[in-house]
Amino acid sequence: MDSAIANNAKFHQGDSAYIFEKYWSNDEKERRKKLMPFLWNVVADKGQILGNRKYDNKIDNANPYWFSYPGYSEMMTGYADTSINSNDYPPNPNTNVLEFLNRQPKLKGKVAAFGAWGVFDNILNEKRSGFPVISAFDNCGGVNPTGNEKLINAMRKDSYRPFGDAECLDVFTHYEAIEYLKTKKPRVLYIAYGETDEWAHSGQYRSYLDAGHQVDAWLKKIWEFIQSDPGYKNKTTILITTDHGRGDKKKEEWTDHNNKVEDAHEIWLAALGPAISGKGEIKVGMQLYQQQIAQTIAKLLGYSFKTDHPVAEDFMYLFK
């Protein structure tokens, strides 16, 4: 939480008292635990968190644009393709790591993606990729939905749409992904939440913080399920990251991100699971790039991601 933004009447939605009561502490470490307790208690204890630039620990977009489609594409394909320069870009011509994994005999049909934003159909090229991409207001459950999926579909259809038809609220993306996790038992599951970005663009700081806090609570629930299920327990790694950063140095720019906004290329990553040594927050200098995430995902599953375009090297060595 940033007190300068929370005190600004332009951004606090008329309720700065709520923001301070819920998220403020004079101690920075306690303040971040209030916002994301799972990340800063469990992951920071048993996993790793990378990207704190106070320690010269850097993860950046390699793409030059610093917004969503190019960022997600870089993350999932391992390649910062400079031709992908718009959120309206057509279906991605580059192979993504989920598509690659779904082609492997042991993983075929065991890969799925859920995203609040409808553009994921293009980012992951659903028609070509061959695995389900449930995005925005798509129904979940296919032709034989479970009772929970039927309810989720009905509620999503009738829900408030603050972002229009382009993006649903995160609660629907989360619960349809969790139902899939529990009933279909995929080997690889990708979930892309979107509300933090949307509330930031709207300049609604209270809702922005609440959305981040909620995602942290959902990550805790996912981890607790994983550790309670014999098929996943002590065999499963979670990676948590983001498609881009936001403006930081100029407080009025926190709502935006692109290559005209200073520092919007700065991202972070957290990891938790049996392959991740419990080093906590990494406080040594290094430079990583978003395009290294795809190969790291593949290596966590025992594969080397190779395709007809360049793929950046992994950073598995950090997790040992």
Side-chain angles (χ1 to χ4, degrees):
M1 175 194 159
D2 188 318
S3 60
I5 300 172
N7 276 317
N8 189 331
K10 182 179 177 181
F11 299 128
H12 63 47
Q13 298 168 261
D15 201 354
S16 60
Y18 166 91
I19 299 174
F20 276 89
E21 181 179 355
K22 190 164 186 178
Y23 299 118
W24 180 254
S25 169
N26 287 323
D27 183 270
E28 183 180 278
K29 290 184 177 180
E30 288 303 311
R31 193 158 73 244
R32 65 190 188 182
K33 285 181 180 180
K34 283 192 169 189
L35 180 63
M36 303 187 79
F38 176 73
L39 183 72
W40 289 111
N41 287 294
V42 178
V43 181
D45 178 46
K46 298 180 180 179
Q48 293 185 28
I49 302 173
L50 301 114
N52 191 337
R53 305 177 90 86
K54 288 184 177 180
Y55 305 110
D56 202 35
N57 193 270
K58 300 177 181 179
I59 312 179
D60 292 328
N61 290 129
N63 79 77
Y65 306 115
W66 313 351
F67 59 86
S68 295
Y69 193 140
Y72 284 122
S73 178
E74 178 185 338
M75 181 195 307
M76 302 311 292
T77 67
Y79 174 43
D81 184 349
T82 56
S83 70
I84 296 177
N85 59 4
S86 167
N87 284 340
D88 296 321
Y89 197 84
N92 200 329
N94 302 305
T95 302
N96 65 73
V97 67
L98 303 181
E99 177 181 7
F100 166 82
L101 292 170
N102 191 56
R103 292 175 182 168
Q104 309 311 309
K106 292 182 179 180
L107 299 179
K108 183 68 176 176
K110 298 179 181 179
V111 178
F114 292 81
W117 192 31
V119 178
F120 277 103
D121 291 350
N122 282 345
I123 294 169
L124 298 175
N125 201 329
E126 181 180 19
K127 291 182 178 179
R128 186 198 66 215
S129 294
F131 62 88
V133 180
I134 310 302
S135 67
F137 291 89
D138 292 349
N139 281 335
C140 60
V143 295
N144 293 305
T146 66
N148 284 341
E149 287 169 333
K150 289 178 181 178
L151 180 59
I152 293 167
N153 289 338
M155 293 176 70
R156 189 195 320 100
K157 180 176 180 292
D158 295 342
S159 69
Y160 175 50
R161 301 189 180 199
F163 318 125
D165 293 337
E167 186 167 332
C168 69
L169 294 169
D170 283 342
V171 65
F172 301 111
T173 297
H174 175 76
Y175 278 97
E176 63 197 19
I178 296 312
E179 181 70 6
Y180 193 95
L181 178 66
K182 291 179 176 180
T183 60
K184 303 295 195 300
K185 300 296 179 70
R187 289 287 307 280
V188 185
L189 180 65
Y190 175 55
I191 309 174
Y193 304 99
E195 282 190 46
T196 49
D197 186 61
E198 294 290 356
W199 295 128
H201 283 308
S202 300
Q204 299 186 46
Y205 195 57
R206 185 193 69 195
S207 296
Y208 171 75
L209 295 176
D210 282 348
H213 185 67
Q214 181 61 72
V215 167
D216 180 84
W218 284 331
L219 292 170
K220 180 176 184 285
K221 292 291 187 182
I222 292 170
W223 182 247
E224 288 174 346
F225 170 74
I226 285 169
Q227 290 302 94
S228 70
D229 183 280
Y232 291 123
K233 184 177 181 180
N234 297 328
K235 305 173 187 175
T236 305
T237 298
I238 293 180
L239 293 183
I240 309 159
T241 190
T242 184
D243 51 324
H244 52 70
R246 310 201 76 82
D248 180 40
K249 290 183 180 178
K250 298 176 182 178
K251 297 306 179 184
E252 293 286 319
E253 290 188 342
W254 75 274
T255 62
D256 294 319
H257 58 87
N258 56 54
N259 56 14
K260 304 293 192 297
V261 176
E262 189 175 5
D263 299 334
H265 58 86
E266 299 177 0
I267 65 171
W268 56 275
L269 180 140
L272 179 66
I276 314 299
S277 59
K279 297 178 182 177
E281 185 177 21
I282 305 303
K283 299 179 180 180
V284 297
M286 65 181 68
Q287 178 68 70
L288 303 175
Y289 290 96
Q290 186 178 48
Q291 62 185 356
Q292 295 177 260
I293 294 171
Q295 188 67 273
T296 302
I297 292 170
K299 290 295 178 69
L300 281 166
L301 287 151
Y303 296 92
S304 182
F305 178 24
K306 297 179 181 179
T307 188
D308 57 359
H309 58 70
V311 176
E313 64 182 6
D314 66 276
F315 48 77
M316 282 294 296
Y317 64 93
L318 294 172
F319 296 152
K320 296 179 180 178

